[in-house]
Amino acid sequence: QVQLVESGGGLVQAGGSLRLSCAVSGRTFSSYAMGWFRQAPGKEREFVARINRSGGNTNYADYVKGRFTISRDNAKNTVYLQMNSLKPEDTAVYYCAAYLVSNNDRARSAARDYDYWGQGTQVTVSS
């Protein structure tokens, strides 16, 4: 059983910053690629960012590119999402997710491709 627990959400003014953390326990952390998704009320869950096993490759949704940074610390079994220049449109529940990499670490941006999910953490950006 793999457990993912997000933290770091909160309320911030537009233009501000937050850093989300996702602590992972269970199977070897370095065997998993990690991603962040978000879901606003009345909207579908959408992809935010993904990072490969070693942390050397990342990909982002266009609407966060240049503002958000995903990173990981395999020694701490933790993945992060640094969010800068936040906008009210970023308001959502943010979810940490993981998928097991069995061969090539291909980029995945579809929620259906992820095997494990955290409980989510609320991010609210006020104007």
Side-chain angles (χ1 to χ4, degrees), residues 22 33 39 58 82 90 94 98 103-106 108 110 114 125:
C22 175
Q39 187 167 19
T58 58
Q82 178 67 46
D90 296 319
Y94 283 71
N103 39 56
N104 293 331
D105 194 357
R106 300 162 60 186
R108 305 289 186 181
Y114 287 74
V125 184

Side-chain angles (χ1 to χ4, degrees), residues 50-84:
R50 169 265 183 190
I51 189 166
N52 74 334
R53 290 174 294 172
S54 67
N57 288 293
T58 58
N59 59 291
Y60 300 90
D62 286 343
Y63 37 81
V64 306
K65 193 173 297 182
R67 300 188 297 121
F68 291 10
T69 302
I70 188 172
S71 62
R72 68 191 295 161
D73 187 339
N74 285 358
K76 296 181 178 180
N77 286 12
T78 303
V79 63
Y80 305 95
L81 184 68
Q82 178 67 46
M83 305 184 293
N84 299 326

